Amino acid sequence: MYRIGHEEKEAVARVIESRSLFKINKSLQESMHAEEEMRELFQCEHAIIMTSGHAALTSALIALGIGPGDEVIVPAYTYISTAMAVVAAGAIPIIAEVNDSLTLCPEDTEKKITSRTKAIMPVHIQGFPCDMDALAALAKKYSIAIVEDACQADGGCYHGKRLGTIGDAGALSFNYYKVITSGEGGALLTNNRTVFERALIYHDSSAVAYFGDQLSNVETQLFCGNEYRTNEITSAILRAQMRRMDGILADLRRNKKTIMDAVAASVTFVPSNDPEGDCGTTIALRFDTAEQAAAFAAAPGIAGTVPINTGKHVYRNWTPVMQKKGALHPLMDPFKMEANRNFVPDYKVDMCPKTLDLLSRSVYIGVNPDWTEKECADKAEAILRALG
């Protein structure tokens, strides 16, 4: 969480005083207005606010008709919820390497495409944009969908277009650790009307047909889904946060650039697919060895993170996926379903060696949008000092 204050307090109080906390109401309609404002802010045709980024990813896959018998390619470096969304849809996650940018490698992705591949899930990890031109070309070549995981990249861009709006659908997250936050929450973005209608039904099938006019102009037939419905307090906080978003991003990018410019002659940066669109949350450095990276990260004043040590963000730590425990009930487990029986991968902890090598030799330094010029200078000085 970067910035939160009086505006969010007022938003919560406003909803409580209205006594209309349910999403569908004839009072403040915070959720409706939040989705309107999100469509404008992200320049997309449809937006659905949900309970989490995982909910949005799952809803997107379901809405694209993905299920048993299908494969979805995910990067080896992403939070486990990306792969778990594929499993939740009944499909099989196929794990591909990341490249030097620490985002999904287009070359390895193409190697992993089969007749069963129905989607690619690029993840804009740490606010770093993926190579969406190359991935979009693959999607077109093989007639497969793109579901963007922009959960760590709220508001970021790729060549001027907001992350999460480039593919067939995209997901955002608003939990405590994201660029903007409502405590928890997420959103599905899409320009595809069919995807929107199906996701609308799936994400709240227990209420969408019974409250308000949510099915007005919806042609998709109702089906059983899940309950990922937001509420008015969350939406009210999110409206205030969205008004802060571009200011937060501008300050993050400014401070990141200030520090990077000061140390550029002495370090090797992890390359970016779009430095201007990068969210600016993280300075990423590359070292020759894992030992050098670890020593630098632990040096005074650095407060660095070596991404190989970030637990469930690294594929080999996705325990239920690696062990193929896709559901409690075996008949609901995609890894045991007849449609997938002959195509379940033999996941190995060392199957993505390039990813493991790159993650072990990289160091992240978090950036704060509220750092002063002196604090930026101090951080740059600490980096240079740690390099010896």
Side-chain angles (χ1 to χ4, degrees):
M1 181 178 69
Y2 290 114
R3 294 171 180 165
I4 195 164
H6 184 68
E7 292 86 347
E8 287 80 3
K9 291 180 186 178
E10 284 192 334
V12 173
R14 183 173 68 241
V15 173
I16 292 174
E17 289 169 0
S18 77
R19 302 181 68 83
S20 295
L21 279 63
F22 189 67
K23 175 184 176 182
I24 305 302
N25 63 80
K26 294 182 179 180
S27 182
L28 299 175
Q29 298 182 310
E30 298 282 352
S31 298
M32 182 189 75
H33 292 307
E35 290 175 345
E36 290 172 348
E37 291 161 9
M38 188 172 291
R39 292 195 298 270
E40 177 65 25
L41 184 60
F42 285 83
Q43 290 294 287
C44 63
E45 294 183 18
H46 308 288
I48 308 173
I49 298 173
M50 301 186 187
T51 53
S52 68
H54 173 78
L57 289 171
T58 304
S59 298
L61 292 169
I62 295 292
L64 286 162
I66 292 168
D70 298 334
E71 296 174 347
V72 178
I73 298 174
V74 303
Y77 174 46
T78 178
Y79 192 58
I80 187 174
S81 62
T82 307
M84 291 180 76
V86 178
V87 176
I92 298 298
I94 303 299
I95 303 171
E97 297 266 26
V98 300
N99 60 18
D100 283 351
S101 69
L102 299 181
T103 63
L104 185 62
C105 176
E107 290 76 20
D108 196 51
T109 295
E110 184 165 23
K111 293 176 184 177
K112 301 291 173 65
I113 293 174
T114 71
S115 60
R116 298 173 297 281
T117 306
K118 293 299 186 292
I120 302 168
M121 294 185 75
V123 180
H124 308 295
I125 196 83
Q126 296 290 137
F128 305 144
C130 295
D131 185 349
M132 293 305 297
D133 286 342
L135 294 172
L138 286 180
K140 182 177 181 180
K141 179 179 178 180
Y142 293 98
S143 299
I144 53 183
I146 291 180
V147 177
E148 289 178 81
D149 183 339
C151 292
Q152 293 189 12
D154 300 335
C157 295
Y158 179 78
H159 297 173
K161 193 171 179 62
R162 297 280 195 186
L163 302 177
T165 69
I166 302 167
D168 297 272
L172 305 175
S173 174
F174 311 120
N175 72 27
Y176 179 83
Y177 301 98
K178 301 305 164 58
V179 174
I180 57 175
T181 184
S182 49
E184 266 294 359
L188 180 149
L189 308 177
T190 185
N191 293 310
N192 184 309
R193 178 71 191 184
T194 299
V195 169
F196 164 70
E197 290 187 7
R198 291 173 174 178
L200 178 70
I201 293 168
Y202 178 76
H203 99 286
D204 190 18
S205 63
S206 63
V208 72
Y210 305 106
F211 292 93
D213 60 351
Q214 297 181 82
L215 293 178
S216 176
N217 301 318
V218 170
E219 297 181 358
T220 301
Q221 186 175 1
L222 287 174
F223 58 91
C224 295
N226 221 308
E227 188 171 299
Y228 298 141
R229 181 179 59 247
T230 190
N231 63 79
E232 290 289 88
I233 290 178
T234 296
S235 295
I237 295 171
L238 184 57
R239 293 181 71 190
Q241 286 280 294
M242 283 194 288
R243 288 189 280 273
R244 297 184 188 273
M245 187 181 76
D246 282 333
I248 291 171
L249 290 171
D251 291 340
L252 282 167
R253 289 165 175 158
R254 181 197 65 238
N255 288 347
K256 177 174 179 176
K257 185 177 187 303
T258 296
I259 297 169
M260 289 178 68
D261 287 349
V263 303
S266 303
V267 303
T268 299
F269 295 117
V270 171
S272 174
N273 292 304
D274 184 351
E276 300 300 318
D278 183 322
C279 290
T281 62
T282 308
I283 296 169
L285 307 180
R286 177 72 40 75
F287 293 84
D288 292 333
T289 68
E291 291 75 19
Q292 290 174 337
F296 176 84
I302 298 300
T305 299
V306 180
I308 193 70
N309 298 326
T310 53
K312 288 184 169 46
H313 288 87
V314 183
Y315 76 92
R316 65 184 184 185
N317 299 319
W318 300 348
T319 304
V321 175
M322 296 295 285
Q323 294 181 354
K324 303 173 190 174
K325 302 291 186 182
L328 179 62
H329 195 293
L331 295 181
M332 301 295 288
D333 186 346
F335 295 113
K336 296 179 177 65
M337 289 178 178
E338 182 64 24
N340 298 326
R341 185 168 60 87
N342 296 322
F343 311 110
V344 175
D346 187 15
Y347 299 128
K348 301 287 189 182
V349 294
D350 58 353
M351 66 185 177
C352 292
K354 182 176 181 179
T355 296
L356 298 178
D357 174 58
L358 289 170
L359 295 180
S360 70
R361 293 189 295 110
S362 301
V363 174
Y364 290 158
I365 300 172
V367 178
N368 191 307
D370 296 326
W371 279 346
T372 63
E373 289 185 14
K374 183 181 185 305
E375 287 171 315
C376 289
D378 288 345
K379 181 62 72 171
E381 182 180 339
I383 292 171
L384 296 173
R385 187 168 55 247
L387 290 169

